[in-house]
Amino acid sequence: MAADRLVAGLAGLAEERVDHRFKALPPDAEGLTVGALAAERRNLFTGGFTTPVLALSAESVEHNLALLETYAQRHGLAFAPHGKTSMSPQLFARQLEHGAWGITAAVPHQVRVYRAFGIQRIFLANEVVDAASLRWLAGELNADPGFTFVCYVDSVRGVGLMDEALRAAGATRPVDVVVELGAGEGARTGARTEAECAAVADAVAATGSLRLVGVAGYEGEVPEASGERVRDWLRRLVALAASFDAAGRFGALDAGEHIVISAGGSAWFDAVADVFAEIPELSFPVCKLLRSGAYVSHDDGHYRHLTPFNRVPEEGALRPAFRLWAQVVSRPSAGQAFLNAGKRDAAYDLDLPQAQVVRSGRDGSVREASGVEITGLSDQHTWVRTDEETSVEVGDWVGMGLSHPCTSFDKWQLIPLVEADGTVTDYIRTFF
C-alpha cells in the first residue's frame, strides 16, 4: 500500500500544471502538465528556457545514487539518506530503489511531506517536543501499523513533554526513540555525558508512550573535528549502546527487532564505517544506520573538499550534479560583467558560485570560463570580474558550479534533470 502511495504521489507530480510558480520554465509551456513537458525532451539551451536556470545532471545523480548504495553494502551499513537536502519525493524514490532503509528528516514538517508520499520508514534526527506535531504523529502511527518512525531524545524534560502530549493524543503505539549523545561541549544538541544519557533512557522506560530502541548522534559537530577525534566520539557512541544493552535498557524490543546505532553526515562517513565495523555482538541485531544526504547532488565547493572519498579514493568518487546557468546582461567595462542570477537563485552561505564554462550567445559554442571570476552576489545579480582580454559579451550564458546542496535545492521548486547533451528528461519537484 505504501509503495502504491508513492507511485500515486509521483504520478500526481507529473500532472501538475506548468505556470508562473516555477522559475525558468519555457513561457510557451504554460498550461502543459509537467509530465507532458518532460515528454517533449526539450533542450535546456534551445528549448525556450529562461535564465537563470538551475540544471541537475541526470548522469551524475545516477552515478552518486549507485555509489552510495555500493558503499553501504560493502560496509554492512543500513542507509537512511537525509531528505532535508533535496526535499524531493522523486529523489527519495530513487534512493529507496537504490537500497535505502528509509529517509531521514530534521523537523516534523518534513515528516509530513514524506508521509504524504507514503514513505514508510522515517528517522527524525532531532528532538520533537511540540504537542501539535506529536498529536499528528500519534495519529499516523495509530492509523498505519506498517509505519516505522524513530526520533531523538536528549533530556528528561523533553521525554516528559513527549509523554504528556502523546498520552493526551490517545497514542496506541509507542514512539520509538534513540538517546542522542552530544558531540562535545559547545557542540549542537545531545546529552553531554553518559550519565545524562542513562538518565534520559531511564525516563523513557518510565513512560508508556515511548520505547527506547538505540542511540545516535552527529559526528560532524565534534569540536575541532579530525579523523582521530571523530573516531573517538563514535567509539563513545558504540560503548553507550553496549552499556545500555548490558543494563537491559533495550528490553522493550521484540524478537527479530534491531538496536539502532546511527551517525553519519556527508563529511565523515568513512569514520562511521570504520567504527561501526567494530560494534560488538549485542543481545539484539544492530541496525548500523548511516544518514548522509548531500551525496545525491554533491557539489563543486564545500563537499567537494570534505567528502570522505578524498581520503579513500579506491572506494570511488562522487560527481557534482548542479550547474546554474545565467546570462550576461551587462558588460559595463572591460573588467566587469553582471549575470542575471543572484542570492535568490544560487547557494552562497558557504562559498560563492564558481564560473565553469561560457556558452556563446551567438553560436552556442562552449568554452572554459578562464579569466572569469565571480566576486559577489546581489539579490538578482552576479558580480563578475574578467580579465581585460576575456571575450565575454552580453547574451552569453555562464555555467556555474555551486557549493552546499541543501541551500541550492531550496531555492527552486522545479529543477530540470538534464542529460549531457542538454536534453531535459524530467523535472525534480521540491517541497521546502
Side-chain angles (χ1 to χ4, degrees):
M1 184 176 73
D4 292 343
R5 280 178 63 190
L6 182 55
V7 170
L10 298 182
L13 294 180
E15 293 303 312
E16 211 166 0
R17 295 286 173 179
V18 173
D19 59 25
H20 60 275
R21 292 172 296 162
F22 305 121
K23 296 190 290 186
L25 298 193
D28 67 352
E30 178 97 14
L32 292 177
T33 66
V34 172
L37 179 58
E40 291 184 357
R41 297 178 62 85
R42 296 195 186 196
N43 186 278
L44 186 71
F45 307 106
T46 62
F49 292 85
T50 63
T51 56
V53 57
L54 183 65
L56 195 60
S57 164
E59 293 89 351
S60 294
V61 167
E62 179 57 34
H63 169 85
N64 295 343
L65 289 167
L67 181 61
L68 258 291
E69 177 183 22
T70 300
Y71 184 89
Q73 291 175 345
R74 183 183 302 126
H75 292 280
L77 300 169
F79 191 33
H82 213 317
K84 72 176 174 63
T85 298
S86 71
M87 286 305 295
S88 169
Q90 292 151 286
L91 293 179
F92 300 163
R94 297 281 298 280
Q95 289 169 316
L96 293 168
E97 289 168 1
H98 281 272
W101 171 93
I103 306 293
T104 294
V107 292
H109 166 258
Q110 294 169 359
V111 178
R112 290 182 62 196
V113 173
Y114 300 2
R115 288 298 291 161
F117 286 86
I119 303 299
Q120 283 295 90
R121 285 179 176 166
I122 299 174
F123 187 93
L124 178 57
N126 207 345
E127 287 71 23
V128 183
V129 296
D130 70 282
S133 293
L134 291 164
R135 184 165 54 248
W136 173 84
L137 176 62
E140 287 292 297
L141 289 168
N142 290 352
D144 185 355
F147 174 33
T148 296
F149 175 86
V150 182
C151 71
Y152 284 0
V153 288
D154 76 347
S155 68
V156 172
R157 166 69 172 163
V159 168
L161 288 171
M162 292 184 75
D163 183 48
E164 180 182 352
L166 291 167
R167 287 178 181 276
T172 59
R173 289 178 59 193
V175 171
D176 288 346
V177 297
V178 290
V179 173
E180 183 190 7
L181 174 66
E185 288 302 323
R188 206 163 61 187
T189 53
R192 296 310 197 230
T193 68
E194 281 75 1
E196 290 173 324
C197 288
V200 174
D202 289 342
V204 170
T207 72
S209 61
L210 303 176
R211 187 176 74 141
L212 184 66
V213 299
V215 299
Y218 176 46
E219 75 292 338
E221 288 291 323
V222 170
E224 299 178 7
S226 65
E228 181 179 1
R229 285 176 179 268
V230 168
R231 285 173 173 81
D232 285 346
W233 178 83
L234 287 164
R235 291 188 178 99
R236 280 184 63 199
L237 184 68
V238 170
L240 180 67
S243 69
F244 277 10
D245 187 48
R249 289 195 167 98
F250 299 125
L253 291 175
D254 295 325
E257 292 191 297
H258 289 68
I259 295 170
V260 176
I261 305 179
S262 179
S266 295
W268 293 104
F269 55 74
D270 57 332
V272 174
D274 291 345
V275 174
F276 279 13
E278 303 169 359
I279 293 175
E281 184 174 350
L282 302 180
S283 57
F284 291 87
V286 175
C287 175
K288 306 172 184 179
L289 193 62
L290 186 68
R291 306 191 306 269
S292 313
Y295 81 99
V296 69
S297 67
H298 197 45
D299 73 6
D300 281 295
H302 185 70
Y303 286 104
R304 182 186 67 185
H305 299 301
L306 289 183
T307 177
F309 288 117
N310 292 337
R311 297 186 290 270
V312 287
E314 66 277 8
E315 298 261 25
L318 294 169
R319 298 177 184 171
F322 276 130
R323 179 165 281 174
L324 177 65
W325 290 94
Q327 266 185 301
V328 180
V329 293
S330 179
R331 187 83 156 101
S333 69
Q336 193 175 38
F338 289 89
L339 312 180
N340 64 344
K343 292 179 179 179
R344 306 294 177 90
D345 313 298
Y348 61 92
D349 56 315
L350 296 178
D351 303 288
L352 288 172
Q354 299 176 359
Q356 295 177 326
V357 295
V358 176
R359 188 177 192 277
S360 170
R362 294 180 184 270
D363 61 15
S365 60
V366 179
R367 63 187 185 278
E368 290 187 10
S370 56
V372 179
E373 180 187 3
I374 294 169
T375 59
L377 293 175
S378 299
D379 282 353
Q380 309 287 185
H381 289 89
T382 301
W383 294 61
V384 177
R385 180 188 298 127
T386 64
D387 295 342
E388 291 193 6
E389 63 274 14
T390 299
S391 58
V392 173
E393 63 179 354
V394 171
D396 287 348
W397 291 42
V398 177
M400 295 172 279
L402 302 176
S403 179
H404 199 185
C406 299
T407 51
S408 297
F409 276 106
D410 70 3
K411 293 173 176 59
W412 296 81
Q413 293 185 58
L414 206 57
I415 304 170
L417 187 69
V418 185
E419 293 182 340
D421 65 358
T423 301
V424 178
T425 61
D426 202 356
Y427 297 84
I428 302 301
R429 185 72 157 93
T430 66
F431 291 87
F432 286 95

